[in-house]
Structures are given as C-alpha cells and as structure tokens.
Amino acid sequence: SSGINAEWPLRPGTKMKVLVVKDIERDEIDFVSRTLGCRPIATADHMLPEHLGQADLVEEIHVGGGNKVVSITGCQSNAKTCSILVQGSNKLLADEAERSIHDALCVIRCLVKNKNMIAGGGAPEIELSIQLAQYAATLSGVESHCIKAFADALEIIPFTLAENAGLPPINIVTELRNRHAQGEAMAGINVKKCCITNITEENVLQPLLVSISAITLASETVRSILKIDDIVNTSR
C-alpha cells in the first residue's frame, strides 16, 4: 500500500524506537515468518507474544550504491534458512549471478534426492547414444527408426558442449564416439584441456537425477508434440 495507510505504523514505531519495515513483497512474507518463527498478523490487536519472533540483532545496513537492506541475525527459531545478497555493476551481471546460484542450488537438491553421480563432459549421453544405436540395429520397421533417431538426438548434448567451449564440435563428437566405441566409457569432453580425456579423473561429475530429468522431460515434450493432429490458426 502507499500514502497514509503505509505511513501510519512508522509514527508510533519511531516514538517507541521500534524499527518498522514496510513494502515487504507478498511472496517473501512466508519466508520471513518461517525464518523468524513468527506469524503474519493483520491488525495490532493480534500482536501477542506467541505470534512474535526473536532475534539477537536487527539493523539497517548500507550495501553500496545508496541501497539499504535490513539484516536480521541471531534468529532464535529452528528454521534453517539464509539470504544471499547478489550485487553487480549492472542488472545483467546480477541476473546472471542469480541464475548461477539457482542452478547450483538445483544441483544440490538433486543430490539430496538421489546421491548417485555419473561422469560429465557428455560421456553418459554419447555412451547411451551408442548403446541405443546398437539396439536399434537389432530391430526392424518403425521401432528401429524411432530408437535410432533418439540415439542421434542424444549427440546434441556433447555437440553443444563442444560448441560452447569454442571447440570444433563435429571433430570432437566424432572422436568422442570413437573412444566410446573402443570401450572408454568414461571418456568425455575436457573443456580446460580442449581434448577428450577420462573425465572422472578430472573430477568432472554430475548428479544422475539431472540427466534422468533432462531426458524424461525432453521425451515427454516430443510425445506431446506428436499427439498434435492439427494446428488451428486463429489469426484473422
């Protein structure tokens, strides 16, 4: 809210030397309440001791650029939460840092759900592609074509990895495929050395759940597209 309704808590709070924070985002209320061990209330009549939280220190600090944040430390609740302050010289850098942190947290969440790890560097995808291609050769008809197409589609992951690393993707994927065909199941794209190496010796690992989720979601998307019989054009 704004205007008089937003300012009325500040006046008695200032007189009583109580810090009043306004303009809290609605989606942050649950996080703040869970962290402090308090309950959201709508009126001052419900400001009872059992609804309040406790903390050792609440202060307003400067974070640069004229910005201020409210820091709450020493929370007495048992909630295991924290806040990460991301700063950058511009919005693009700050958004990129936020995205990187989000990706890292998602990887940790995957490890909590499933602790199994597999090799990275495109090794599992190219190995699965080779195995599926060999299996497709034993079949005939439509099933053989579908499985072969699925195997070919998996090569886009090491292809993209090589391309993003500034390496020749066709040469890298071809060499990677040959190394796996020779039985080197752990061979992967080493971005630092710009070549194919035993990726597990470089400690380049990834959660199994990440690969399972990616393949599952991609397969479900393709199935949904294939179920579309026609597209109705609503433009005039």
Side-chain angles (χ1 to χ4, degrees):
S1 60
S2 60
I4 299 178
N5 292 333
E7 298 296 334
W8 75 264
L10 300 178
R11 299 168 183 170
T14 303
K15 293 180 179 180
M16 299 174 63
K17 296 183 179 181
V18 175
L19 175 64
V20 180
V21 181
K22 64 176 183 177
D23 299 331
I24 298 178
E25 297 295 336
R26 185 173 295 274
D27 57 354
E28 295 180 357
I29 294 179
D30 180 65
F31 171 77
V32 174
S33 301
R34 187 170 64 252
T35 302
L36 298 179
C38 60
R39 293 182 58 184
I41 58 175
T43 63
D45 296 335
H46 294 86
M47 195 175 293
L48 304 176
E50 59 268 22
H51 295 165
L52 304 179
Q54 295 182 352
D56 293 339
L57 178 63
V58 180
E59 60 179 342
E60 188 178 58
I61 60 176
H62 295 268
V63 294
N67 298 320
K68 300 178 182 179
V69 296
V70 176
S71 173
I72 304 175
T73 56
C75 300
Q76 303 299 317
S77 65
N78 295 324
K80 298 180 180 180
T81 60
C82 68
S83 298
I84 301 176
L85 180 62
V86 177
Q87 291 183 282
S89 57
N90 54 54
K91 188 176 184 301
L92 180 62
L93 290 178
D95 291 343
E96 182 64 20
E98 182 181 0
R99 185 194 64 80
S100 299
I101 294 174
H102 179 268
D103 291 346
L105 292 176
C106 288
V107 171
I108 295 175
R109 182 179 62 181
C110 290
L111 286 175
V112 172
K113 292 182 178 180
N114 190 332
K115 297 181 179 180
N116 295 320
M117 302 281 288
I118 58 176
E125 290 80 13
I126 202 70
E127 180 68 22
L128 182 57
S129 175
I130 293 175
Q131 296 292 338
L132 286 175
Q134 294 175 353
Y135 176 64
T138 63
L139 303 176
S140 60
V142 177
E143 290 185 351
S144 176
H145 290 288
C146 292
I147 295 177
K148 182 63 170 62
F150 197 105
D152 294 340
L154 288 172
E155 291 187 358
I156 194 63
I157 296 178
F159 186 94
T160 304
L161 178 60
E163 195 173 37
N164 291 341
L167 304 175
I170 297 178
N171 297 338
I172 289 293
V173 173
T174 301
E175 182 184 354
L176 184 61
R177 190 189 304 113
N178 292 336
R179 296 278 289 271
H180 277 258
Q182 296 172 6
E184 299 182 32
M186 298 301 173
I189 302 174
N190 191 325
V191 176
K192 292 184 178 180
K193 297 182 179 179
C194 300
C195 61
I196 305 298
T197 61
N198 187 327
I199 212 67
T200 56
E201 294 179 354
E202 305 292 336
N203 292 325
V204 179
L205 304 173
Q206 65 185 35
L208 174 62
L209 190 59
V210 171
S211 295
I212 292 177
S213 300
I215 295 175
T216 301
L217 292 175
S219 303
E220 291 177 353
T221 301
V222 172
R223 290 175 59 187
S224 299
I225 294 175
L226 292 175
K227 289 180 181 179
I228 299 175
D229 297 326
D230 193 9
I231 297 177
V232 179
N233 190 357
T234 59
S235 61
R236 296 181 180 179

